[in-house]
Amino acid sequence: MKVNITTLLLVFSFLVLNGCSKATTPQQADIAVFEQFLSENPISSVSPTVDIASIYQQDDPLFESVLYIQRNLWAEAKKQLEPMAKNQNPDAKFWLASITWGTGIKNNPIAKKLYMESAEQGNPYAALFFSPKNDICQMYYSSECSEKWVEKAQKLFAEQAKTGNVRAVYYSTILKPDLTHEEYIDAVIQSAEKHYYYPLVEYANKIINEDKPNKNMEAMAVNLLNYAQFNNFIPAIDALMGYEGEKKRTQGEQYKSLTEQGINIGSNHAWRVYLLNSINDKSLSSQQKYFIAKASELFNGYDYGISFSIPPKGKAALIAANKKAQEKADSVKRVIYIDGAHVPEG
């Protein structure tokens, strides 16, 4: 029997950037706008390349540490971030704070200090962390949550937007107090055209996560997720896997295809499906199950499968199996899709 996973999606700490306001609520009239967008940007199969607006490229000092965070290897990330934070790197302070809060009573004040310093030094996401609408801020640092930080974040994003930063352009727009629905939809589309797909996925998720979504709106939302998925955007893959799971279609070809795509480009959710399904798969040998479990542990630290697998007997066989598992983990695309507004909680 295969494990039916419908809700094992990676949990994110979403900063409050486009909450449930009138301006950001999906509307029927959006269908025509997005149909035009999709017709002008046709794509019907998965792109052979991963072309997304990543915050860091491989030559950036923060690339490795943020990739570790994305893959839930926080201990490794912390080792790299701490010296950069001590050297007053505001982005390093933000990321270090993001993996520090909630890890212990003694660590919460440390995270708060890092967030504050990062915000003061110009990181807009750190400033936005102290939004009164941010549940995490209210839970841990309620006395510090204030609209003044939202205003500061908007100003910081506006400055960064002048350089063409696609995220800054989007967030400086939707944080405007007088934001209209038309401006919001235009910002979502402009971001997607510049390969920043989070706004598009978030918009679509608002629709498909409703209890009883309008069928036409639901169909449009799925088309938008498919567009981002065809462009190898992992949150879109995860959303579609969740959608297929809710429809009880985890044995279908679409779900299997999404899982395979996710494994290749680094979806933690797809890797967990891959691992958990292997545990009870009678068609797999013990050697194959160990290989999958070990590869999973090496990829993102998820060692759940190790206790259900039997390592090969003999030192040489074990070394060979571990080497093969390492090659599998190393074959995953090294692209960062998370950003300051979307930090995994582990």
Side-chain angles (χ1 to χ4, degrees):
M1 179 185 71
K2 290 197 173 185
V3 179
N4 182 3
I5 303 169
T6 61
T7 58
L8 230 178
L9 294 177
L10 180 64
V11 177
F12 282 89
S13 166
F14 293 99
L15 292 183
V16 181
L17 298 168
N18 60 340
C20 300
S21 69
K22 184 177 180 180
T24 61
T25 300
Q27 299 178 8
Q28 284 279 345
D30 299 343
I31 294 177
V33 179
F34 281 117
E35 283 181 346
Q36 181 178 350
F37 163 72
L38 293 172
S39 68
E40 293 173 352
N41 299 273
I43 183 169
S44 58
S45 60
V46 176
S47 172
T49 60
V50 180
D51 186 13
I52 65 171
S54 180
I55 47 171
Y56 302 118
Q57 301 303 317
Q58 296 200 28
D59 59 350
D60 192 286
L62 280 164
F63 180 87
E64 288 292 337
S65 53
V66 176
L67 185 65
Y68 278 138
I69 292 174
Q70 180 173 291
R71 295 183 176 182
N72 292 328
L73 300 170
W74 289 9
E76 290 85 344
K78 185 178 180 181
K79 291 177 185 177
Q80 294 190 355
L81 289 169
E82 285 181 333
M84 286 188 279
K86 288 181 181 178
N87 286 332
Q88 301 305 310
N89 183 313
D91 292 346
K93 288 183 179 182
F94 169 81
W95 288 107
L96 185 57
S98 298
I99 60 174
T100 300
W101 69 264
T103 58
I105 296 176
K106 294 182 179 180
N107 290 334
N108 290 337
I110 296 174
K112 174 186 169 181
K113 182 173 184 290
L114 288 167
Y115 274 130
M116 282 287 183
E117 291 179 355
S118 179
E120 293 290 358
Q121 292 171 357
N123 185 298
Y125 301 104
L128 202 56
F129 177 86
F130 293 104
S131 164
K133 295 181 181 178
N134 185 1
D135 291 340
I136 297 170
C137 182
Q138 292 290 0
M139 184 181 299
Y140 291 93
Y141 317 110
S142 59
S143 63
E144 303 294 346
C145 309
S146 169
E147 282 294 334
K148 73 175 184 179
W149 291 108
V150 179
E151 294 172 7
K152 182 177 179 65
Q154 204 279 335
K155 290 177 181 178
L156 290 170
F157 279 127
E159 282 298 313
Q160 292 183 4
K162 294 176 182 178
T163 68
N165 182 312
V166 61
R167 287 173 173 80
V169 171
Y170 175 72
Y171 295 128
S172 64
T173 298
I174 67 166
L175 284 174
K176 289 169 32 178
D178 57 349
L179 177 70
T180 67
H181 183 71
E182 290 71 26
E183 288 176 323
Y184 165 61
I185 296 299
D186 185 58
V188 169
I189 290 175
Q190 286 192 36
S191 296
E193 289 176 339
K194 295 176 182 176
H195 311 292
Y196 181 49
Y197 301 109
Y198 259 124
L200 196 72
V201 171
E202 290 171 342
Y203 173 90
N205 280 338
K206 289 177 186 177
I207 297 171
I208 66 171
N209 290 332
E210 292 179 5
D211 289 337
K212 293 182 180 180
N214 173 279
K215 292 300 180 183
N216 292 332
M217 295 286 284
E218 182 179 20
M220 174 192 68
V222 172
N223 286 338
L224 294 176
L225 289 175
N226 281 330
Y227 176 81
Q229 174 251 322
F230 288 151
N231 283 288
N232 291 299
F233 189 54
I234 288 174
I237 296 171
D238 293 348
L240 285 169
M241 289 182 70
Y243 180 77
E244 291 296 302
E246 290 296 327
K247 299 295 183 182
K248 311 298 182 185
R249 297 195 292 248
T250 56
Q251 303 306 312
E253 289 304 312
Q254 171 73 350
Y255 191 83
K256 293 177 182 177
S257 176
L258 289 167
T259 303
E260 182 177 351
Q261 181 188 5
I263 291 168
N264 291 335
I265 63 175
S267 162
N268 289 312
H269 177 49
W271 269 81
R272 289 198 178 192
V273 170
Y274 176 49
L275 171 64
L276 295 176
N277 280 342
S278 73
I279 291 174
N280 294 318
D281 191 337
K282 295 181 180 179
S283 70
L284 297 178
S285 66
S286 59
Q287 186 175 8
Q288 289 172 314
K289 291 185 178 183
Y290 175 79
F291 161 72
I292 294 172
K294 188 63 180 179
S296 175
E297 180 186 38
L298 292 169
F299 168 66
N300 64 4
Y302 190 53
D303 58 2
Y304 178 77
I306 293 295
S307 59
F308 291 92
S309 61
I310 303 173
K313 295 181 179 179
K315 183 177 180 180
L318 181 61
I319 291 174
N322 289 342
K323 180 181 178 181
K324 183 180 177 183
Q326 186 68 64
E327 290 171 351
K328 175 69 175 178
D330 291 344
S331 71
V332 179
K333 297 286 186 182
R334 289 166 53 82
V335 177
I336 292 173
Y337 64 88
I338 64 172
D339 59 27
H342 308 87
V343 182
E345 291 184 4

